[in-house]
Amino acid sequence: MEITIPTKWSDVTIGNYINLRPVLNSDLQPIERVVNILAVLTGQKRDVIKNISLDQFKSIKKKMSFLETELPNKLKDKRFKIGGQWYEFKVDARKLLFGEYINSMEIIQNAKDDQEAIFNNLHHILTTICRPVKKTIFGWKHIKVDGEILRKTADNFLNNMPITIAYPIGVFFYSHSEDLTKAIKTSLMDQAKKMTREAKKELDLLRDGDGGVH
């Protein structure tokens, strides 16, 4: 039976890592631990994994040694390409959609009691601070997003983003969660005030116009 597995952290996607964390943090016996890790990384059932030869087991275990090393906690580049699309890491609460605001607040709230909430929702968190961009003759420009683009982005991150990119951003999000909460709330209040001012101006114009309100 031929088994192909990642040999370095950059080969592990967010989806892989979300499923790996419970196994890596468990107190399983060494052999059972390896079997469970292989089941996650290969997508094979545990019964299938148990049929590999002893020589294969030794070879695979050696290839998996990278799992014992630390993940990087600093992001090398603020711009990166995932699944054929370029993205840029930038914290800007003013660009959040209202639905993103709600999701971010829920994740931050849950993370206060359980750090795993951050890692289990990494692909959703990343859509709020990693926006799709395109290169033009004037430089890099942000692509306008909506609910559909955000859903596709989250799926792309889950299935294709290396954990070496996602993990440093997750650490940033967790360590700055209180500041981010304040920034998001402030931005939302500013947007509400702006909308109120604009609505008031429109109403004043209606009152002053020929077909105004009487």
Side-chain angles (χ1 to χ4, degrees), residues 37-66:
I37 289 174
L38 286 177
V40 170
L41 295 180
T42 64
Q44 298 283 353
K45 293 182 178 179
R46 294 172 73 257
D47 290 340
V48 175
I49 299 297
K50 288 181 178 179
N51 286 327
I52 64 176
S53 68
L54 187 58
D55 285 342
Q56 278 183 301
F57 174 79
K58 290 178 180 178
S59 174
I60 290 170
K61 193 172 185 301
K62 187 176 181 180
K63 290 179 180 178
M64 287 168 43
S65 61
F66 76 92

Side-chain angles (χ1 to χ4, degrees), residues 126-159:
L126 293 173
T127 63
T128 67
I129 47 184
C130 298
R131 293 304 209 194
V133 293
K134 61 181 178 180
K135 194 170 186 179
T136 71
I137 58 173
F138 302 108
W140 290 94
K141 301 293 182 183
H142 281 259
I143 297 172
K144 187 175 180 179
V145 300
D146 55 22
E148 181 61 23
I149 289 178
L150 289 175
R151 281 189 291 273
K152 289 181 179 179
T153 298
D155 287 342
N156 188 20
F157 287 170
L158 180 69
N159 297 315

Side-chain angles (χ1 to χ4, degrees), residues 91 108 169-183:
V91 180
I108 290 173
I169 300 175
V171 171
F172 172 88
F173 189 90
Y174 183 74
S175 60
H176 293 80
S177 58
E178 289 188 13
D179 293 336
L180 287 171
T181 300
K182 292 176 183 177

Side-chain angles (χ1 to χ4, degrees), residues 14 74-91 122-123 125-135 140-143 153-154 156-158 160-170 172:
I14 291 179
K74 292 188 181 299
L75 191 64
K76 290 184 178 179
D77 301 297
K78 71 171 186 176
R79 198 177 294 117
F80 39 82
K81 194 174 187 180
I82 307 293
Q85 172 64 53
W86 282 96
Y87 298 92
E88 184 176 275
F89 169 53
K90 185 178 182 181
V91 180
L122 260 182
H123 51 305
I125 291 170
L126 293 173
T127 63
T128 67
I129 47 184
C130 298
R131 293 304 209 194
V133 293
K134 61 181 178 180
K135 194 170 186 179
W140 290 94
K141 301 293 182 183
H142 281 259
I143 297 172
T153 298
N156 188 20
F157 287 170
L158 180 69
N160 299 309
M161 180 180 277
I163 193 61
T164 45
I165 293 177
Y167 188 82
I169 300 175
F172 172 88

